[in-house]
Amino acid sequence: SGDTLSVSLGRDKNIIIKREGNKKISDRRIIGNNIKETIGWDITVKNNKNTKIKITVEDQYPLSEKKSVEVELLESSNAKIDEKTGKLTWEFEMEPNEKRLITYKYSVKYPKYVSLMIE
């Protein structure tokens, strides 16, 4: 009788989440025979409910299986990080009508001859 079960009932229209690339953080540099790109993301969470909520936000940064491509997580806004999958998890409570910004950024260093689509 003391056990709990979490059930998702679909999207809640009173909780708004927006994910956008942060152009102020994003950068591309050529260093010798390598290119180093820094990519930043902003996740905005707004609680439009009249009650306090507990929310979990998940995102992911890229990982590389090639040794010539290096990925480094530079900032994660205190996320729980799973380094095997690149999964970032934020868990927090929000007051009614509260708005919160989560920012994370990573860099990818790769040889000039490699063509990558990074984002």
Side-chain angles (χ1 to χ4, degrees):
S1 68
D3 200 6
T4 60
L5 173 67
S6 296
V7 179
S8 175
L9 300 175
R11 181 178 177 265
D12 188 334
K13 294 180 183 175
N14 289 317
I15 300 172
I16 299 170
I17 300 178
K18 190 175 187 181
R19 180 179 183 259
E20 298 177 299
N22 186 326
K23 295 186 192 264
K24 293 178 188 173
I25 295 174
S26 297
D27 185 34
R28 180 183 170 131
R29 295 179 186 206
I30 298 173
I31 304 169
N33 290 328
N34 294 314
I35 297 174
K36 184 174 183 178
E37 291 192 50
T38 302
I39 294 92
W41 292 98
D42 290 334
I43 302 172
T44 306
V45 183
K46 181 147 180 23
N47 176 16
N48 286 333
K49 293 175 160 276
N50 294 327
T51 59
K52 188 176 184 178
I53 62 167
K54 183 176 180 181
I55 189 164
T56 302
V57 178
E58 296 179 342
D59 206 339
Q60 186 175 21
Y61 69 97
L63 298 176
S64 174
E65 294 180 359
K66 295 183 177 185
K67 292 188 180 191
S68 62
V69 179
E70 299 173 21
V71 179
E72 179 183 3
L73 182 64
L74 302 173
E75 180 185 333
S76 64
S77 293
N78 297 320
K80 291 180 187 173
I81 303 165
D82 184 341
E83 296 194 15
K84 291 181 183 176
T85 62
K87 183 176 168 181
L88 304 169
T89 306
W90 297 269
E91 293 180 5
F92 50 88
E93 291 185 352
M94 294 182 72
E95 297 295 325
N97 297 312
E98 181 184 352
K99 185 176 183 179
R100 188 170 295 193
L101 177 68
I102 300 169
T103 301
Y104 72 96
K105 68 179 177 178
Y106 55 89
S107 68
V108 181
K109 183 178 173 185
Y110 57 94
K112 282 184 188 178
Y113 62 85
V114 175
S115 178
L116 288 180
M117 189 72 169
I118 302 173
E119 282 195 23

